[in-house]
Amino acid sequence: MPRLFRHVMLFFVLIFTLSGCEIVKWKATQDGESLVNAGYSEQFLPLKEGGSMKFWVGGTGKPLLLLHGFGGTAMSTWKKEMMVLSQDYQVIAPDLAWFGDSHSKGLPDLTTQTNAIWQLMDHLKIDKVNVAGISYGGFVTYNMMTTPERIDKSIIIASPGPLFSEKDLDDLCLRAGVDKPENLFVPQNSDEVRRLFDNVFYEKKYMPDFIADQIYTSYFSPWQAERTSLIQTLIKDRDRIAEFPPNNLPNSMVIWGDSDQIFPLKSGIQLSRYLNAPIVVIPETGHGVTNEQPEVVVKLIKSFLS
């Protein structure tokens, strides 16, 4: 039997075997084992307000904090980058509160989210950290930047910080065909998961029903009320972080996909000018930059931090 044919047959046997069970959880388990084999450890931090934060830590060197976006986890968003960056940095990648295996008993807003990250930094005895955040993780990054004495350099990916208006949100809802932003970011079923993915990624993802169902169950069904609050309170948080003078913020870089349908490129250019920071635009890339262009993201992070 030719080797290629054997490989194809093994692939279909694997899919057939796993399709009736949890292929999404199986993939997460495999990714976790890959991180452990690369020297990472999976840890949990009890939070002062109640709840706990799961985080991965691995590598040596200057500390580098990686923050994921809405609906994702540290591993699902950053796994490929984590595998490489730990060769040069001490990488810390948490599941944000109310995502993955983390939750808080505090109010579900950006302040609680950011305070949990500071608790993690204190737990690890890190006084000053480099931080990269994508999408919602970019909002957390920006909020951390308003404590500039604890940030070395920051990288904001596909996240407008305080520079999004009600019209921007209305335009986003119009593009996505929803009434409110939370209807897009907090899907209620597998069809709405597909809608979110179609808006996030440059190339449409083929997603069989059983995969869409498992992604919804694993990543989107928990903590829906809290996640809705995180979206709804961003308006208040936007106004608060906008009060901090941009010239007092740490040295930053902005990364954006040229085809971002969540926050279009004009938002990235506006943020770049506001922060007086360089912007790198990646062609044929949507909002899911870290998943779509991991090799490019690694090169940009290493270049900027060094």
Side-chain angles (χ1 to χ4, degrees):
M1 183 183 294
R3 181 179 299 178
L4 178 60
F5 182 73
R6 288 202 305 269
H7 287 171
V8 171
M9 289 302 295
L10 285 172
F11 173 77
F12 281 107
V13 168
L14 178 64
I15 293 299
F16 179 78
T17 303
L18 291 174
S19 62
C21 53
E22 288 290 337
I23 192 171
V24 171
K25 290 184 178 179
W26 173 83
K27 175 65 165 57
T29 300
Q30 295 299 112
D31 287 345
E33 291 177 357
S34 296
L35 289 175
V36 171
N37 291 336
Y40 279 89
S41 63
E42 180 185 29
Q43 301 183 34
F44 288 83
L45 172 69
L47 297 174
K48 295 177 181 178
E49 67 274 17
S52 67
M53 172 165 281
K54 171 185 166 180
F55 64 99
W56 294 91
V57 59
T60 58
K62 290 185 177 181
L64 170 60
L65 175 67
L66 303 177
L67 301 178
H68 66 79
F70 215 86
T73 64
M75 189 166 60
S76 69
T77 303
W78 290 103
K79 185 245 179 176
K80 290 184 178 180
E81 287 89 347
M82 291 166 68
M83 296 289 288
V84 180
L85 290 170
S86 61
Q87 299 171 18
D88 298 288
Y89 305 96
Q90 179 194 20
V91 176
I92 307 103
D95 287 352
L96 295 173
W98 304 290
F99 298 97
D101 292 321
S102 298
H103 74 284
S104 167
K105 292 188 177 180
L107 293 174
D109 59 19
L110 190 62
T111 298
T112 297
Q113 198 74 263
T114 307
N115 286 342
I117 297 296
W118 286 130
Q119 290 179 53
L120 176 57
M121 295 299 98
D122 293 341
H123 169 72
L124 296 173
K125 296 180 170 42
I126 296 174
D127 294 326
K128 200 166 189 177
V129 67
N130 295 298
V131 56
I134 181 170
S135 193
Y136 181 73
F139 287 108
V140 181
T141 298
Y142 197 100
N143 201 29
M144 293 179 70
M145 289 163 59
T146 63
T147 309
E149 65 274 12
R150 296 202 63 179
I151 302 294
D152 191 356
K153 292 183 178 180
S154 57
I155 300 165
I156 295 179
I157 306 173
S159 183
L163 306 183
F164 67 98
S165 65
E166 280 70 16
K167 183 180 185 306
D168 292 329
L169 294 178
D170 289 342
D171 290 344
L172 166 60
C173 291
L174 186 63
R175 287 192 300 273
V178 297
D179 294 328
K180 297 177 289 187
E182 55 265 33
N183 295 150
L184 176 63
F185 293 109
V186 190
Q188 302 295 310
N189 53 55
S190 57
D191 287 337
E192 293 183 6
V193 170
R194 287 192 181 92
R195 179 178 64 192
L196 177 59
F197 275 46
D198 285 347
N199 281 273
V200 166
F201 295 109
Y202 178 75
E203 294 184 355
K204 297 293 186 287
K205 305 290 184 182
Y206 171 68
M207 195 182 298
D209 289 342
F210 75 92
I211 294 292
D213 290 341
Q214 290 177 20
I215 290 174
Y216 171 74
T217 300
S218 296
Y219 289 98
F220 292 100
S221 63
W223 308 108
Q224 290 200 341
E226 290 80 5
R227 295 180 186 187
T228 298
S229 178
L230 290 176
I231 295 292
Q232 293 173 342
T233 55
L234 269 181
I235 299 296
K236 173 195 68 177
D237 292 319
R238 173 200 64 188
D239 296 339
R240 175 179 56 79
I241 62 178
E243 296 175 358
F244 196 89
N247 58 319
N248 291 340
L249 294 170
N251 189 16
S252 304
M253 176 174 70
V254 177
I255 302 174
W256 226 271
D258 70 340
S259 301
D260 195 327
Q261 294 300 303
I262 301 297
F263 298 117
L265 177 56
K266 65 178 183 180
S267 296
I269 295 171
Q270 185 180 14
L271 180 65
S272 169
R273 292 171 176 167
Y274 182 75
L275 296 176
N276 192 27
I279 181 171
V280 178
V281 181
I282 306 177
E284 297 183 353
T285 302
H287 186 68
V289 179
T290 57
N291 290 104
E292 296 180 77
Q293 302 287 353
E295 294 85 2
V296 176
V297 171
V298 164
K299 290 178 181 179
L300 291 173
I301 289 177
K302 292 176 68 174
S303 176
F304 180 64
L305 296 186
S306 63

